[in-house]
Amino acid sequence: MLGWLEQLGCTSAEIGRARQFDVAGYVGIPFPSISRETTIRIAKHLTLWLLWDDVHVESLEHGWRIEPTHVLEGRRPARLTRFDEGWWQLFSALAARRSARWLRDLCDAMITWSDAARAEAIAIDDWSRTGARPTFEAQLATRIVTIGMYPTFHLLEDALDHELPRALHDDPVLAQLKKTSGEIVGLGNDIFSFGKDLALGRLNLVSTLQHEADLSGADALERIVRMHDRALETFDRLAASVGSWSADEDPWVARWLEDVRYASLGFGLWEARAPRYAAHKLVVDGRVVEPSFVTDEDADFDSRSIRFPIGRRFG
């Protein structure tokens, strides 16, 4: 993985940053049942995505440049950056496996993500310069997109080696389920990155809610945790209400829904242990405020910490 990034021309500092991503956990936890070949392909996609976001997207340097027609017609855009080159290689490999329609859908999802990430970066820059903070509702809507689940839905189809009916993706129930999945992962990300973002002076859903609702940091964090748990319950309700598509497709749809469920939980589990998040903690009155996944209703609580159990009904 790191050798591939070196071949693309990534700097030693960028390689060092990628080394800290815990790529094995980032892929292995959300995608527990995929083949070795698919694991490598998704690992490349997710690692390049994280690094590109950190280096270029958040700094507003370069957005998404690979169009479906570029890949389908074999036309390389001019002056590719090292990250563009990585995307070109990954999408060219996918074009050999998937239909033109599927490739266009994935490209469109990445374009939508790039546009939303750019808008998010501009909002952060505006806040740092002027103090004008976005509303919690607007920030959450953007976070649902920028957390990256919409492209991931298509990567999960590739992992199954089966393209689901286009009508399924257009179904209102599936549209709400996808949004809810993004909410689960987005809220989870900001729950576990709250300490880091607070230390670095960055926008976070928890701090925005704290400011907007005049709450303490601990109270705002707890409210976000409860929103996260309600989203988990909503996901299961929506998944159970997905209707039948056909005798041939229903087993694939069921497997895909299960994989989306694992990924939605798995990214949160990775976030809970990611070194870049775990290095920072919120301390209130001498006690560490620590959100964590708890499955035992009678778990003991350390008097030195405040634990917010997350997702007891999920999994």
Side-chain angles (χ1 to χ4, degrees):
M1 178 63 59
L2 297 180
W4 178 63
L5 294 176
E6 289 176 350
Q7 291 173 9
L8 294 177
C10 291
T11 67
S12 58
E14 291 164 357
I15 299 297
R17 182 176 294 194
R19 187 176 284 112
Q20 297 174 5
F21 287 161
D22 179 27
V23 175
Y26 193 47
V27 178
I29 297 174
F31 307 97
S33 60
I34 58 179
S35 68
R36 181 179 182 276
E37 178 185 354
T38 305
T39 297
I40 293 172
R41 185 164 58 250
I42 292 182
K44 285 184 174 182
H45 192 111
L46 296 183
T47 303
L48 185 69
W49 197 353
L50 277 176
L51 192 58
W52 173 57
D53 183 30
D54 281 358
V55 175
H56 274 179
V57 178
E58 290 185 0
S59 64
L60 300 175
E61 278 195 56
H62 298 286
W64 185 262
R65 296 185 59 207
I66 307 297
E67 297 286 346
T69 53
H70 291 148
V71 180
L72 294 172
E73 298 174 7
R75 292 189 293 107
R76 294 172 61 92
R79 297 181 297 279
L80 294 180
T81 69
R82 56 198 177 283
F83 299 108
D84 295 334
E85 176 62 32
W87 290 125
W88 174 263
Q89 291 181 18
L90 290 174
F91 273 70
S92 295
L94 286 168
R97 296 171 44 82
R98 301 268 68 96
S99 70
R101 187 271 297 175
W102 184 93
L103 194 71
R104 289 191 184 94
D105 286 346
L106 179 58
C107 268
D108 287 345
M110 291 299 297
I111 291 168
T112 299
W113 177 87
S114 179
D115 290 345
R118 181 176 179 83
E120 188 175 69
I122 290 172
I124 292 171
D125 182 64
D126 288 344
W127 172 66
S128 66
R129 289 186 299 100
T130 68
R133 186 186 296 265
T135 65
F136 176 80
E137 182 180 1
Q139 191 174 332
L140 176 59
T142 302
R143 199 75 184 105
I144 287 171
V145 179
T146 60
I147 202 60
M149 285 305 293
Y150 285 99
T152 301
F153 299 137
H154 299 295
L155 295 179
L156 285 168
E157 285 185 81
D158 181 58
L160 286 177
D161 198 19
H162 181 81
E163 299 177 23
L164 298 173
R166 181 62 176 275
L168 175 71
H169 288 290
D170 295 333
D171 181 77
V173 174
L174 256 293
Q176 186 60 41
L177 182 141
K178 289 178 179 181
K179 180 180 177 181
T180 302
S181 175
E183 184 177 359
I184 291 167
V185 184
L187 290 172
N189 180 87
D190 280 28
I191 287 168
F192 290 111
S193 67
F194 179 42
K196 173 184 73 70
D197 291 341
L198 194 64
L200 298 177
R202 302 188 61 178
L203 278 179
N204 182 287
L205 287 169
V206 180
S207 57
T208 295
L209 180 63
Q210 179 185 358
H211 174 82
E212 191 171 289
D214 194 22
L215 299 170
S216 69
D219 288 343
L221 183 61
E222 182 171 13
R223 189 175 293 187
I224 298 292
V225 167
R226 301 309 160 217
M227 288 180 62
H228 179 274
D229 285 353
R230 288 194 297 272
L232 298 175
E233 295 172 358
T234 299
F235 182 97
D236 281 347
R237 176 177 54 79
L238 290 168
S241 67
V242 173
S244 175
W245 290 84
S246 72
D248 291 335
E249 288 296 339
D250 285 350
W252 291 109
V253 173
R255 173 66 186 279
W256 180 80
L257 287 171
E258 181 179 327
D259 288 349
V260 171
R261 194 175 190 271
Y262 269 113
S264 300
L265 173 62
F267 283 121
L269 290 172
W270 175 81
E271 290 155 356
R273 53 171 267 183
R276 59 199 268 161
Y277 300 152
H280 299 84
K281 302 291 185 184
L282 178 67
V283 179
V284 177
D285 296 329
R287 292 193 295 173
V288 176
V289 180
E290 187 174 18
S292 58
F293 285 91
V294 177
T295 56
D296 183 357
E297 294 284 351
D298 298 320
D300 293 330
F301 294 93
D302 190 331
S303 62
R304 295 167 299 178
S305 66
I306 306 170
R307 287 181 176 267
F308 294 140
I310 300 173
R312 288 178 174 175
R313 302 186 185 188
F314 196 74

